[in-house]
Amino acid sequence: MNKYIVLSHSTFPFYEKLRIKSESFQIIDVDHSSNLYKDLKNVVESTNFESHILDLTVLATDTKRQIYHFISNLFQTNKKNLPQIFSDLSFCWGELLYEEFSNLQAAFALSFYSPTGTYEVAVKNQTDTDEVEKIFEVFGVKSCYVQTPGLGFTLPRVFGQIINEAYFSKQEHLATKEDIDTAMKFGVNYPLGPFEWSRKVSLRGVCLLLDELTQVTGDPRYRASKLLRKEALLNQS
C-alpha cells in the first residue's frame, strides 16, 4: 500500500485503525488543527508522504473544493506532481468534485455506517481498485463498486432521508424514538431502526447532505428537521 497524508476527524469510524498503521499514514487531525492549510504545507514540505492524499473529512462540498485547490497549488509551488486523492464523499456532491479534479482517483462512503460492513466505492481507473482494496483491508471492510459517487452515493442519500423523516416524526410527537425504531425494524425488516442508525453516523454529515440536496435540487422534501439539526449541533459528531 502507498503512504498517505491523511485528513481526518477523530470521530471517523475507523480512526483508531489509522493510528495503528502509523507507518503508512501521516495523520492531520482536522478537529484539532488550528490551521489546516499551514499543517498541510508543513507536512508536504517535510515528509516523503507526498504522492497520495486520503481525505476522510466530513465537510461541505465547497470546503473540500477549497482544500483540493490548495493542495494542487501547494504541490505545484513545490514543483511536485499532483498527488492522487482518495476521498470519503459520503455527505458531498461527489460527482461534482470527481469531474473537477482529475487527480481525485477514488471516492467512497466509509463515514456512513453499513451493518454489513460493505461500503460503496467509485474509481476512475480499474488500476485504482487494488489500492482501494488495500485501504479497505486496513479498515476491515468490504467494497461495493458503483459507477459514480453521485450526490451522497446511495446508502447515505437514501437512509439519510429516512433518518430525517424519523426525526420529523419525533418532532411532531407521533411516537417515541424507541417505537419508531421498533416499527421500522419489524414493519420493513430494517437491521436497525432509524434512530439506532443515526447514533452510528455523523448527524452533522446528514445535515450537510440534506442541505446539499435541497440546494442542488431545489426540492423542499430534503429539508432537514429542526430536531435533527439540534441534535447534530449538540453532538458535534
Side-chain angles (χ1 to χ4, degrees), residues 33 168 202 208 216 229:
S33 172
F168 270 120
S202 168
L208 283 174
V216 171
R229 287 193 188 280

Side-chain angles (χ1 to χ4, degrees), residues 102-196:
S102 60
N103 59 323
L104 178 52
Q105 298 298 119
F108 30 77
L110 280 168
S111 289
F112 200 95
Y113 174 74
S114 165
T116 66
T118 303
Y119 295 83
E120 292 171 88
V121 184
V123 294
K124 282 183 176 170
N125 303 303
Q126 286 300 312
T127 54
D128 293 317
T129 59
D130 287 344
E131 190 63 21
V132 169
E133 294 302 323
K134 291 174 184 176
I135 295 171
F136 274 39
E137 185 177 349
V138 170
F139 299 142
V141 299
K142 296 174 287 187
S143 57
C144 173
Y145 288 88
V146 296
Q147 289 187 332
T148 173
L151 205 171
F153 284 93
T154 301
L155 181 62
R157 178 167 177 165
V158 171
F159 218 86
Q161 293 175 68
I162 292 172
I163 289 172
N164 190 40
E165 288 301 322
Y167 271 93
F168 270 120
S169 296
K170 177 65 174 67
Q171 181 179 304
E172 295 166 10
H173 308 291
L174 297 179
T176 66
K177 289 184 176 181
E178 293 75 16
D179 288 345
I180 292 170
D181 280 345
T182 298
M184 296 302 288
K185 284 191 290 186
F186 289 94
V188 292
N189 202 31
Y190 284 164
L192 295 171
F195 287 106
E196 290 175 316

Side-chain angles (χ1 to χ4, degrees), residues 6-62:
V6 181
L7 308 181
S8 180
H9 307 282
S10 58
T11 53
F12 174 66
F14 307 103
Y15 185 79
E16 290 306 316
K17 292 186 177 181
L18 283 172
R19 290 170 59 84
I20 290 171
K21 296 285 288 186
S22 58
E23 75 279 3
S24 298
F25 302 121
Q26 176 71 45
I27 303 171
I28 298 176
D29 190 333
V30 176
D31 292 326
H32 299 101
S33 172
S34 58
N35 190 326
L36 172 61
Y37 297 115
K38 181 179 178 181
D39 288 347
L40 264 171
K41 184 174 183 293
N42 289 339
V43 170
V44 169
E45 292 178 351
S46 63
T47 183
N48 62 350
F49 286 48
E50 74 271 1
S51 61
H52 292 79
I53 304 286
L54 183 58
D55 173 21
L56 303 173
T57 59
V58 175
L59 298 169
T61 303
D62 281 346

